[in-house]
């Protein structure tokens, strides 16, 4: 239950064992087309381009910077955690000038601050944001930011690597210009795939940008995508697996997938708070929950006890949150009893480490949340 890589369902693992196919064939073209069509449905876009890359999410992030900015161009970077800080590092690597909008880790940006910066800096070309900041579990109001940026000449880039397939993303309705996604989070495939969704407005910037680019050149990607191919050798086996995951998501229904993530993470947060622990994020995301342990209990001891004694693998904190939090992922192939198991392991580990708490308190609070909804259908079979 880490926030990535996330569990891979059995039928997706089986798909990975199919014969390896060539990527310049009719057979591959049909799979590629189905994957792009499915991703468009999940991204809620009618006609924006979707490019698949053999890379991790960071490669797709780099592609967004390289394809939309020239050295000396101005951008806004919202920073509130390890992943959103990466946008600033990438801008620096490409010589772009960025206005940092720094927020306390665990908080979410006030969209009004972006509006203010855009008014004061009409030469800003790109706004870089993060839907779910995986290092803090905080969610950003991308809908509000999208409405603001859409009314300007700037484009909006969203890192949705742990947001898409977890919570609502309305690419067209919210005016999102570049959406970055990765395979190993809510898309339930092994690490190695990234995809980007690019709007018409962004495509105009791609033609104007002068940054050096080759592997990740969206112009080459577009030519290939129009033929249901990738510019370079496609990781066909991973894409076959991705098709299986997408079929699973569409079979459950995108709205139901989102509702399930909200239910599971909501139950987890309720259970955690019943134990007297604090959730770090003010506006928590539904794919990952960052939790502050009680006073006197080191977060890494808690994490290690959960893994070594009870076999529940959760993540620790990163950078300035190292040793201060644990992070529990509830993404993709995750169901009610995973949350119960995690809470149970959390309770027992807390008691093992000397924290006084009634066993069953968190589990019970979570069960009450889970039982209060009639809509939930069993996800794992
Ligand atoms: C996982 C993740 C990424 C991509 O990281 P890679 O290690 O390159 O796959 C990017 N952004 C966020 C918010 C993430 O959680």
């Amino acid at each position: 239950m880490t926030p990535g890589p996330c569990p891979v369902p059995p039928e997706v693992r089986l798909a990975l064992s199919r014969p390896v196919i060539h990527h310049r064939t009719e057979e591959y073209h049909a799979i590629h087309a189905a994957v792009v069509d499915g991703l468009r449905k999940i991204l809620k876009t009618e006609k924006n381009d979707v490019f698949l890359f053999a890379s991790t999410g960071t490669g797709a992030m780099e592609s967004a910077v390289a394809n939309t900015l020239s050295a000396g161009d101005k951008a806004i970077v919202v920073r509130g955690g390890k992943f959103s800080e990466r946008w600033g590092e990438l801008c620096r690597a490409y010589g772009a000038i960025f206005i940092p909008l720094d927020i306390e880790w665990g908080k979410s940006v006030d969209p009004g601050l972006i509006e203010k910066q855009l008014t004061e800096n009409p030469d800003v070309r790109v706004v870089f944001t993060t839907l779910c900041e995986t290092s803090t579990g905080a969610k950003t109001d991308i809908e509000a930011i999208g409405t603001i940026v859409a009314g300007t000449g700037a484009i909006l880039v969203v890192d949705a690597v742990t947001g898409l397939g977890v919570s609502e993303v309305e690419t067209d309705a919210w005016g999102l210009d570049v959406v970055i996604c990765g395979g190993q989070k809510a898309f339930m495939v092994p690490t190695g795939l990234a995809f980007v969704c690019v709007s018409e407005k962004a495509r105009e910037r791609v033609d104007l940008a002068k940054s050096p680019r080759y592997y990740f050149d969206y112009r080459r990607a577009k030519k290939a995508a129009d033929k249901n191919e990738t510019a370079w050798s496609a990781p066909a086996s991973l894409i076959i697996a991705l098709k299986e995951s997408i079929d699973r998501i569409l079979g459950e229904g995108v709205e139901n997938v989102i509702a399930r993530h909200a239910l599971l993470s909501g139950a987890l947060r309720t259970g955690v708070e019943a134990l007297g622990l604090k959730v770090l994020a003010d506006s928590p995301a539904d794919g990952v929950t960052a939790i502050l342990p009680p006073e006197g209990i080191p977060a890494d001891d808690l994490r290690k006890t959960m893994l070594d004694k009870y076999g529940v693998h959760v993540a620790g904190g990163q950078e300035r949150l190292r040793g201060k939090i644990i992070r529990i992922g509830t993404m993709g192939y995750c169901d009610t009893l995973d949350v119960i198991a995690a809470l149970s392991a959390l309770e027992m580990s807390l008691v093992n480490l000397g924290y006084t708490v009634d066993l069953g308190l968190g589990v019970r609070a979570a069960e009450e949340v889970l039982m209060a909804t009639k809509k939930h259908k069993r996800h794992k079979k």
Side-chain angles (χ1 to χ4, degrees):
M1 298 188 76
T2 71
C6 297
V8 178
E11 74 269 28
V12 179
R13 279 186 281 129
L14 276 174
L16 285 162
S17 69
R18 284 187 209 146
V20 175
I21 63 167
H22 197 280
H23 54 278
R24 310 279 183 219
T25 57
E26 292 293 307
E27 188 183 8
Y28 176 77
H29 292 163
I31 294 161
H32 188 107
V35 162
V36 168
D37 186 56
L39 287 173
R40 281 209 183 97
K41 289 196 174 99
I42 298 166
L43 283 153
K44 304 281 174 64
T45 182
E46 284 291 323
K47 55 180 187 350
N48 285 5
D49 289 322
V50 176
F51 306 137
L52 310 181
F53 291 111
S55 85
T56 70
T58 306
M61 290 172 77
E62 175 158 356
S63 78
V65 174
N67 279 282
T68 61
L69 288 172
S70 311
D73 276 357
K74 208 187 263 186
I76 291 174
V77 175
V78 179
R79 300 193 298 188
K82 182 181 157 69
F83 291 96
S84 45
E85 286 192 345
R86 195 167 292 173
W87 283 129
E89 290 158 16
L90 284 162
C91 283
R92 202 169 293 131
Y94 282 86
I97 299 160
F98 68 94
I99 303 165
L101 265 182
D102 289 332
I103 45 175
E104 200 184 316
W105 285 32
K107 304 261 187 284
S108 303
V109 71
D110 168 7
L113 292 177
I114 295 174
E115 186 162 34
K116 185 169 171 284
Q117 285 294 344
L118 282 170
T119 311
E120 288 169 10
N121 300 277
D123 53 343
V124 162
R125 303 228 193 264
V126 185
V127 179
F128 292 98
T129 58
T130 309
L131 172 53
C132 164
E133 172 48 72
T134 315
S135 63
T136 65
K139 187 179 170 186
T140 306
D141 186 352
I142 295 297
E143 180 177 8
I145 298 171
T147 309
I148 291 164
V149 179
T152 71
I155 61 164
L156 176 59
V157 176
V158 183
D159 171 354
V161 174
T162 49
L164 190 69
V166 172
S167 56
E168 224 184 347
V169 175
E170 295 275 350
T171 301
D172 288 354
W174 299 352
L176 314 183
D177 296 302
V178 181
V179 186
I180 308 293
C181 329
Q184 83 270 28
K185 312 281 171 85
F187 280 89
M188 304 175 282
V189 292
T191 305
L193 264 188
F195 20 104
V196 292
C197 181
V198 181
S199 74
E200 182 72 46
K201 188 178 174 189
R203 210 184 303 149
E204 288 166 17
R205 283 245 33 94
V206 171
D207 291 332
L208 294 169
K210 292 187 184 65
S211 287
R213 63 205 120 136
Y214 190 84
Y215 182 85
F216 287 114
D217 193 330
Y218 288 174
R219 293 160 301 187
R220 279 180 195 266
K222 163 90 179 139
K223 268 194 200 137
D226 287 345
K227 296 184 289 182
N228 291 316
E229 289 190 357
T230 51
W232 322 107
S233 296
S237 298
L238 276 176
I239 292 170
I240 287 171
L242 179 63
K243 182 179 176 300
E244 208 65 45
S245 286
I246 289 172
D247 287 349
R248 191 182 171 97
I249 290 168
L250 296 178
E252 185 177 353
V254 179
E255 270 62 40
N256 295 330
V257 170
I258 291 168
R260 172 167 55 82
H261 282 89
L263 175 68
L264 297 180
S265 63
L268 177 64
R269 291 192 293 268
T270 303
V272 162
E273 280 161 1
L275 294 171
L277 276 53
K278 202 181 162 306
V279 171
L280 176 71
D282 283 356
S283 303
D286 290 330
V288 53
T289 302
I291 300 158
L292 295 152
E295 197 85 32
I297 307 280
D300 284 337
D301 289 358
L302 186 56
R303 181 175 58 78
K304 285 198 190 91
T305 307
M306 288 176 75
L307 179 61
D308 295 344
K309 261 182 126 62
Y310 304 106
V312 174
H313 193 173
V314 302
Q318 298 160 295
E319 292 186 4
R320 72 183 73 164
L321 288 173
R322 187 174 294 278
K324 300 212 170 83
I325 54 167
I326 61 166
R327 292 176 301 142
I328 304 183
T330 46
M331 269 181 281
Y333 192 52
C334 186
D335 213 340
T336 49
L337 292 184
D338 296 311
V339 169
I340 296 302
L343 276 168
S344 176
L346 177 62
E347 291 181 355
M348 291 192 284
S349 301
L350 285 168
V351 172
N352 290 140
L353 293 169
Y355 178 68
T356 312
V357 66
D358 278 346
L359 285 174
L361 201 62
V363 165
R364 179 192 188 139
E367 284 174 351
E368 280 166 1
V369 173
L370 294 167
M371 290 176 74
T373 178
K374 293 195 173 50
K375 277 191 293 192
H376 184 70
K377 281 207 303 252
R378 219 167 97 230
H379 177 58
K380 285 187 172 177
K381 299 269 172 7

